[in-house]
Amino acid sequence: MFEVNENYTRVSEFVIVGFPGLHPSFFQLVAWFFFCVYLITVVGNFLLVVMFALERSLQKPMYIIMLSLALSDIGFATVALPNLIARWWRDDGRISFHTCMFQEQMIHYFGTLNSLIMMTMAMDRYLAICHPLRYPMLMTNRTMSGLTVFSWISAQVAPGIVTVDFSRKVAFCGPNRILHAYCDAIALTRLSCSNMVAINDSSYGLAMFVLLVPLSLIIFSYVSIIVTVMRMANAQGRRKTFSTCGTQGCLILIYYIPRFIVYSTPYMPNLTITPDFRVGLSLICSLFPPVANPFIYCFRTKEIRTILGRWRQRWGNSRTEPPETQQQRSNSRVPNSRDPTAESPTAEIQQQSPQQQSPQQQSPQQQSPNIFPLLHLAIS
């Protein structure tokens, strides 16, 4: 059992230190920097949420998982950054005990959720590129919605176990200065006056399971995608695949490797890192992906760029044209007319696959171009 001396004063609040070595003259600059990071994260991801809600063409499996990732990134930034900004903006890092416990739970929840979402996204692209003919049957909107709901629910399991252990078995009776940018399990265990050996071991085991299992499936998916494209695509397709997979692979490595280092440092006697370096490493792997995800996964796709261009054109026309002209134009539009900026998916498929033969009648060399509409959508 975890025995603690009963004669102690329970800690009622903690103090978020952030970077211990940061000079006070830089507090305002750092606060503005993280405020801009928070603003970019929320605006970029919220724009994707609005686009998904308004554009029926985006309501398909790949964009469902992107919507889930956007909501998760907004949630993580909202949980982690406001207290951190207030710590440097007002030089006030105080946070109540129960608020800190809630933040610790949500920090690990969204970290676990992002790991599951990236695994689901990688498996979706594996099916789209490596099994293009079976993809429409295997990955429907209902299937992706079910996987997304499962990810959001199951992501609570590991953080919930850690939170229960902290609430039942951990006592804080002394120092209350958290040498981190937010409340997390590693920072809190260093302030405990309980015997933390068993809790640390179980927390580390859960963290490695949450990190390594999805990472293994992600690596398998991307290796299979590269092998498939090398066999079937032309030189231009291979270059685009390596460019896209390389960008996404770097983002995935930035997410996983620093976390592995931070979690494994206490179990590696020869590996020591300073508190400032540990805080910076944690912030990079936690905040850089939410900022970059909308640009890497979403705004680079042709379909979303087309929608944004159409929105910008409509907004420009609404500013330059009088209301009477806009009303006349809307009344004179033919219902079947197309927006000239939009491109028909059927026309795109016909351009990329001119031979109108069924897959059963084509040879293996002739079947390969048929995956390019899915390939373009999956790796754009």
Side-chain angles (χ1 to χ4, degrees):
M1 286 295 295
F2 301 87
E3 298 180 358
V4 182
N5 185 4
E6 296 295 336
N7 298 321
Y8 69 88
T9 302
R10 185 178 179 87
V11 173
S12 60
E13 68 176 14
F14 295 98
V15 177
I16 301 292
V17 176
F19 292 102
L22 184 66
H23 194 272
S25 61
F26 294 101
F27 280 7
Q28 292 294 317
L29 179 62
V30 174
W32 275 105
F33 171 77
F34 283 104
F35 176 77
C36 293
V37 169
Y38 179 66
L39 195 63
I40 293 172
T41 300
V42 172
V43 171
N45 287 283
F46 184 73
L47 179 59
L48 179 63
V49 175
V50 173
M51 292 176 63
F52 182 86
L54 297 181
E55 297 290 337
R56 294 184 60 86
S57 62
L58 297 183
Q59 296 175 10
K60 57 184 68 173
M62 189 180 76
Y63 292 109
I64 291 175
I65 195 65
M66 288 183 179
L67 172 68
S68 180
L69 183 63
L71 293 174
S72 177
D73 288 340
I74 292 174
F76 182 90
T78 302
V79 169
L81 285 179
N83 284 328
L84 183 62
I85 296 171
R87 187 267 171 272
W88 286 310
W89 210 323
R90 300 180 303 184
D91 195 14
D92 183 10
R94 291 177 298 174
I95 181 172
S96 68
F97 178 86
H98 296 291
T99 304
C100 185
M101 292 295 105
F102 174 77
Q103 188 185 54
E104 180 267 337
Q105 162 77 10
M106 299 309 295
I107 287 290
H108 293 297
Y109 168 69
F110 284 115
T112 305
L113 178 61
N114 275 8
S115 185
L116 296 177
I117 289 174
M118 287 191 289
M119 179 188 70
T120 305
M121 186 180 297
M123 298 304 295
D124 172 76
R125 297 181 180 192
Y126 164 77
L127 290 175
I129 296 176
C130 300
H131 304 281
L133 300 180
R134 301 178 60 189
Y135 176 80
M137 296 179 293
L138 295 176
M139 193 59 69
T140 61
N141 283 355
R142 173 177 290 186
T143 302
M144 182 57 74
S145 299
L147 291 174
T148 301
V149 172
F150 174 78
S151 298
W152 280 79
I153 295 176
S154 62
Q156 282 281 9
V157 175
I161 294 174
V162 176
T163 302
V164 169
D165 282 344
F166 267 84
S167 61
R168 293 177 54 193
K169 305 173 183 177
V170 178
F172 299 94
C173 47
N176 68 337
R177 292 173 58 83
I178 299 177
L179 299 181
H180 207 296
Y182 42 74
C183 298
D184 79 333
I186 296 178
L188 289 174
T189 54
R190 298 180 179 180
L191 303 179
S192 173
C193 51
S194 305
N195 184 357
M196 299 298 298
V197 175
I199 293 181
N200 286 339
D201 291 343
S202 63
S203 300
Y204 179 74
L206 287 173
M208 290 300 101
F209 178 82
V210 168
L211 289 176
L212 297 182
V213 172
L215 181 60
S216 301
L217 293 175
I218 291 171
I219 293 174
F220 166 79
S221 299
Y222 277 99
V223 170
S224 300
I225 289 171
I226 292 174
V227 171
T228 300
V229 174
M230 288 292 293
R231 290 176 178 175
M232 306 182 70
N234 54 20
Q236 182 180 1
R238 287 195 293 268
R239 286 194 299 268
K240 184 174 182 179
T241 301
F242 282 120
S243 174
T244 305
C245 291
T247 304
Q248 296 174 0
C250 290
L251 199 63
I252 291 170
L253 292 179
I254 290 174
Y255 183 84
Y256 280 100
I257 291 180
R259 277 181 165 80
F260 178 79
I261 295 175
V262 170
Y263 293 151
S264 301
T265 300
Y267 297 89
M268 297 180 180
N270 297 327
L271 179 62
T272 57
I273 57 178
T274 63
D276 287 315
F277 182 77
R278 182 169 59 85
V279 172
L281 204 61
S282 299
L283 289 176
I284 289 175
C285 70
S286 299
L287 299 179
F288 180 75
V291 173
N293 282 339
F295 303 96
I296 299 299
Y297 290 111
C298 304
F299 297 142
R300 290 182 62 184
T301 61
K302 184 178 180 180
E303 193 167 4
I304 289 183
R305 291 200 307 268
T306 301
I307 293 173
L308 289 175
R310 187 164 66 245
W311 284 10
R312 185 174 62 177
Q313 184 181 20
R314 291 175 180 174
W315 182 72
N317 292 340
S318 66
R319 294 187 60 187
T320 57
E321 294 182 355
E324 295 80 4
T325 305
Q326 298 178 28
Q327 184 65 29
Q328 292 175 1
R329 172 175 294 186
S330 61
N331 293 336
S332 61
R333 280 183 176 175
V334 180
N336 293 330
S337 62
R338 294 188 306 170
D339 192 324
T341 61
E343 184 175 351
S344 170
T346 306
E348 181 180 354
I349 295 176
Q350 291 176 352
Q351 292 176 3
Q352 295 181 355
S353 180
Q355 296 182 356
Q356 303 297 324
Q357 296 180 358
S358 64
Q360 290 81 2
Q361 295 173 346
Q362 294 180 349
S363 62
Q365 291 78 10
Q366 292 174 319
Q367 290 184 21
S368 60
N370 288 337
I371 73 163
F372 281 106
L374 284 173
L375 178 63
H376 168 77
L377 182 64
I379 68 175
S380 296

